[in-house]
């Protein structure tokens, strides 16, 4: 593609669009990429990241991570920190799937122990974790109970026997964003989502059984600190979010913001998907609270799914899940806005950090991460395609330059439409099984869309985050079993 | 009444262009395009249940946005796969009023070929325009 003429190279992995690139930009835009990844980015990335740079109250830069691609409002892989006193909050900086995120869980089992039962394991996970279009969850709630889930997140799970105290400690923000008020959520969002607790969803959501091969460990010390200390250790990774509930919250407030943004607050934007309101406005605060409700629902969703995964492993291996070493490494959120403290011009400031398809990656010594990770930095979980594998990384001190944010996945390069033309889901399933990856799905069409070749090379993406000083590689995780949403 | 999917404007998601001789036909085409992303064979949806819908908006664009979102709402909230059997859109003061009937049935994994769930209708490049031939809409769905 043709790169914007104004794009300047700052370093091997950092590129900048100056404020002169587009009228209205308040700050420059920075893109983290190697030259190769930059050339693979679609034109929408440059357009969208410079639109983000024009939002009121943005601090330092509008950022795009190496997995960046075209999104709605913000690019996927986008991040922007706003001054909470004079800046805005925008659903377009968070995404429709609020708190779509990744969870990584240890076992003390090896590949040799799991392999003979792999089909059985995947079949049982597939039977017991609802997936696909319009699925209802295995946790049945009344609408009133669901309001408690919204406000309490994983804490609700702890009270109801779906979690341990350690699970909450190993979840970003303890599995609950405080200040979530159910009253800020529409009845429609509640009705759309209250029966979806305990569902994986569809699209690129999945639950995967993976192996950590000794040759794929990049940093032995960090790997051991994160609990990876057995050769060919089996881990479980899963990816899902706030389901129809979060989608409805985002849709509701997109409309609210469109109705007040210009008329009441005089804010003009170039893209309706960047609809926003001042953070310190009734509408901005109501959305912040409703968004937190969706964040908490997503944490609870991943927590009850973990409980179910533990049950399945326990049944199949006839051992208690904790005897199987099924402890969480961490749970990270992709699509959120959060108040965090960061250094700006030598002073610590509170900022509203929007992350849209990007991951918080706090470095060693940061507050807000579990005590056991204070020296290592926060674990960062990056999901690749189901064919090519995923990564465990760690936050770095140098990540401060990007408000401690890194990539979230490999990022698509081929449209879903094209992937369906190029691949057949049933054939792909057979080919993957021949290569040692057993996949179950509700939808062969959906499987074809997730073919590995439809994504960027995950190795290049994570290597770039390391070169850019955003996150360091700990281990590469190779898939052996997958249930695809 | 027709639609086609567009491969080049939504790498990670699904985009379509729907057309209709009338605005009502356009709404039906867009509903079919949205539902077909999720269910492979629209013909497999039986007309077992009927729902009445009524909605009002200031513009044809936002009316279509709300209408398509309503289909997603019923799919998640009640597991209902619905398509419009009758739609009437009229001017009501400074608003457009849509009254319609949706027909369909509860999702059945045995009979319905599931494809990819639609999370949301986005406003990215969303447009509804009147053309010499009738009406046209471009819609990008978040999946």
């Amino acid at each position: 593609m043709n790169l914007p003429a104004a794009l300047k190279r700052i370093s091997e992995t950092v590129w900048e669009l100056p404020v002169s690139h587009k009228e209205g930009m308040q700050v420059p835009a920075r893109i983290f990429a190697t030259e190769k990844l930059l050339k693979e980015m679609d034109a929408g990335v440059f357009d969208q990241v410079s639109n983000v740079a024009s939002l009121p109250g943005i601090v330092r830069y509008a950022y795009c991570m190496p997995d960046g691609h075209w999104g709605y409002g913000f690019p996927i892989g986008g991040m922007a920190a706003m001054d909470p006193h004079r800046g805005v909050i925008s659903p377009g900086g968070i995404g429709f799937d609020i708190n779509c995120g990744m969870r990584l869980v240890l076992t003390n089992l090896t590949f040799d122990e799991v392999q003979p039962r792999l089909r059985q394991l995947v079949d049982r996970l597939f039977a017991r974790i609802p997936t696909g279009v319009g699925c209802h969850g295995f946790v049945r709630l009344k609408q009133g109970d669901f309001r408690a889930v919204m406000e309490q997140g994983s804490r609700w799970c702890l009270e109801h026997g779906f979690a341990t105290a350690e699970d909450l400690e190993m979840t970003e923000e303890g599995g609950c964003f405080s200040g979530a008020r159910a009253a800020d959520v529409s009845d429609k969002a509640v009705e759309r989502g209250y029966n979806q607790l305990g569902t994986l969803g569809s699209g690129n959501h999945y639950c995967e059984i993976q192996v950590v091969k000794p040759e794929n460990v990049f940093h032995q010390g960090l790997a051991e600190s994160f609990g990876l200390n057995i050769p060919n250790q089996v881990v479980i990774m899963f990816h899902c979010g706030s389901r129809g509930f979060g989608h409805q919250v985002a849709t509701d407030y997109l409309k609210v913001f469109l109705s007040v943004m210009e008329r009441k607050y005089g804010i003009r934007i170039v893209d309706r998907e960047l609809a926003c309101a001042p953070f310190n406005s009734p509408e901005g605060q109501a959305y912040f609270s409703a968004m937190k409700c969706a964040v908490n629902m997503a944490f609870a969703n991943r927590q009850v799914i973990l409980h179910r995964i533990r049950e399945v492993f326990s049944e199949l291996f006839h051992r208690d899940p904790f005897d199987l070493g099924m402890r969480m490494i961490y749970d990270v959120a992709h699509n959120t806005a959060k108040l965090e403290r960061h250094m700006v011009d030598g002073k610590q400031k509170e900022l509203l950090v929007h992350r849209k398809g990007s991951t918080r990656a706090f470095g060693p010594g940061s507050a807000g991460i579990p005590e056991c990770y204070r020296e290592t930095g926060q674990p960062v979980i990056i999901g690749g395609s189901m064919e090519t594998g995923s990564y465990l990384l760690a936050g770095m001190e140098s990540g401060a330059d990007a408000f401690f944010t890194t990539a979230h996945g490999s990022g698509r390069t081929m449209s879903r439409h094209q992937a369906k033309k190029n691949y057949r889901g049933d054939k792909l399933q057979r080919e993957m099984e021949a290569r040692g990856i057993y996949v179950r799905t509700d939808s062969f069409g959906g499987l074809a869309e997730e073919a590995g070749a439809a994504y960027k090379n995950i190795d290049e993406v994570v290597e770039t985050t390391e070169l850019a000083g955003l996150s360091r590689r700990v281990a590469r995780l190779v898939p052996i079993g997958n249930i695809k949403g | 009444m027709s639609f086609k999917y567009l491969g080049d404007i939504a790498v990670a998601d699904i985009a379509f262009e729907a057309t209709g001789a009338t605005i009502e036909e356009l709404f039906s085409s867009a509903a079919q395009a949205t539902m077909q992303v999720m269910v492979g064979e629209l013909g497999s949806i039986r007309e077992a249940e009927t729902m009445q819908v009524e909605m009002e908006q200031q513009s044809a664009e936002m009316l279509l946005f709300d209408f398509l979102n309503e289909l997603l709402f019923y799919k998640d909230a009640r597991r209902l796969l619905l398509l419009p059997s009758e739609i009437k859109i009229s001017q009501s003061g400074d608003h457009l009023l849509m009254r319609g009937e949706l027909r369909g049935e509860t999702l059945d994994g045995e009979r319905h070929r599931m494809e990819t769930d639609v999370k949301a209708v986005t406003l990215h490049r969303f447009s509804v325009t009147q053309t010499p031939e009738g009406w046209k809409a471009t819609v990008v769905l978040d999946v």
Side-chain angles (χ1 to χ4, degrees), chain A residues 72 188 255 272-273 416, chain B residues 12-13 61 66 70 123 126:
Chain A
Y72 310 116
K188 200 158 198 170
K255 285 169 61 182
R272 280 181 297 184
E273 283 287 339
R416 292 180 176 276
Chain B
D13 292 296
E61 274 192 2
D66 282 355
E70 198 70 358
L123 288 175
F126 190 89

Side-chain angles (χ1 to χ4, degrees), chain A residues 33-346:
Chain A
T34 55
E35 194 165 352
K36 182 169 180 290
L37 285 176
L38 190 82
K39 285 180 176 166
E40 285 174 12
M41 285 179 177
D42 42 288
V45 168
F46 307 103
D47 193 34
Q48 292 183 329
V49 76
S50 49
N51 292 343
V52 173
S54 65
L55 288 174
I58 187 166
V59 175
R60 201 185 281 164
Y61 301 111
Y63 295 88
C64 183
M65 298 296 136
D67 54 340
H69 62 87
W70 170 99
Y72 310 116
F74 279 48
I76 309 294
M79 188 270 284
M82 308 298 179
D83 180 326
H85 305 291
R86 57 184 184 89
V88 293
I89 184 166
S90 171
I94 293 150
F96 285 98
D97 197 359
I98 297 166
N99 191 8
C100 180
M102 310 286 307
R103 187 170 284 214
L104 185 60
V105 183
L106 291 163
T107 75
N108 55 21
L109 299 165
T110 64
F111 173 71
D112 288 341
E113 289 169 299
V114 170
Q115 208 276 334
R117 296 184 193 179
L118 182 66
R119 284 186 75 97
Q120 225 182 335
L121 198 53
V122 172
D123 288 344
R124 201 170 291 194
L125 286 170
F126 185 65
R128 299 203 52 202
I129 303 173
T131 60
V133 178
C135 53
H136 279 185
F138 55 79
V139 180
R140 294 300 158 104
L141 294 174
K142 295 199 170 97
Q143 292 193 16
D145 297 328
F146 185 67
R147 290 176 200 274
V149 171
M150 288 183 225
E151 295 186 346
Q152 298 166 20
S154 297
R155 288 213 314 268
W156 182 91
C157 301
L158 182 64
E159 281 171 23
H160 289 79
F162 292 105
T164 67
E166 191 189 73
D167 292 340
L168 270 59
E169 197 190 335
M170 294 301 161
T171 307
E172 196 169 317
E173 298 295 317
C176 178
F177 277 24
S178 61
R181 297 181 305 263
D184 291 315
V185 168
S186 71
D187 290 343
K188 200 158 198 170
V190 174
E191 203 183 334
R192 190 167 163 191
Y194 81 98
N195 50 29
Q196 291 187 324
L197 190 65
T199 59
L200 202 56
S202 169
N204 62 356
H205 293 160
Y206 61 84
C207 173
E208 197 163 85
I209 301 172
Q210 303 168 335
V211 179
V212 187
K213 296 180 179 177
E215 64 269 30
N216 289 334
V217 174
F218 291 85
H219 195 299
Q220 195 66 40
L222 284 174
E224 284 178 15
S225 298
F226 290 166
L228 300 174
N229 42 31
I230 310 169
N232 297 310
Q233 191 166 348
V234 168
V235 294
I236 305 134
M237 175 182 284
F238 57 101
H239 177 218
C240 59
S242 50
R243 309 284 293 108
F245 175 62
H247 313 156
Q248 190 66 41
V249 167
T251 301
D252 288 344
Y253 279 92
L254 180 63
K255 285 169 61 182
V256 169
F257 286 3
L258 278 173
S259 69
V260 297
M261 181 176 57
E262 196 167 339
R263 183 176 54 81
K264 191 169 169 186
Y265 299 111
I267 302 170
R268 290 188 179 186
I269 45 159
V270 291
D271 176 354
R272 280 181 297 184
E273 283 287 339
L274 281 179
C276 56
F279 181 61
N280 274 332
S281 67
E283 295 85 2
Q285 287 296 302
Y287 170 63
F288 192 44
S289 159
M291 181 214 73
K292 288 173 177 178
C293 288
V295 163
N296 292 343
M297 187 277 183
F299 281 139
N301 191 30
R302 291 199 287 276
Q303 184 59 49
V304 298
I305 289 174
L306 169 58
H307 183 74
R308 175 71 33 118
I309 293 169
R310 282 176 173 151
E311 283 178 349
V312 167
F313 270 75
S314 181
E315 287 160 13
L316 220 68
F317 288 92
H318 307 291
R319 284 163 67 190
D320 180 271
F322 298 96
D323 183 43
L324 289 167
M326 297 184 73
R327 299 171 53 225
M328 277 175 63
I329 293 184
Y330 209 49
D331 178 300
V332 295
H334 293 157
N335 295 358
T336 62
K338 265 179 17 189
L339 286 169
E340 294 174 358
R341 297 195 75 80
H342 291 279
M343 296 300 285
V344 181
D345 301 328

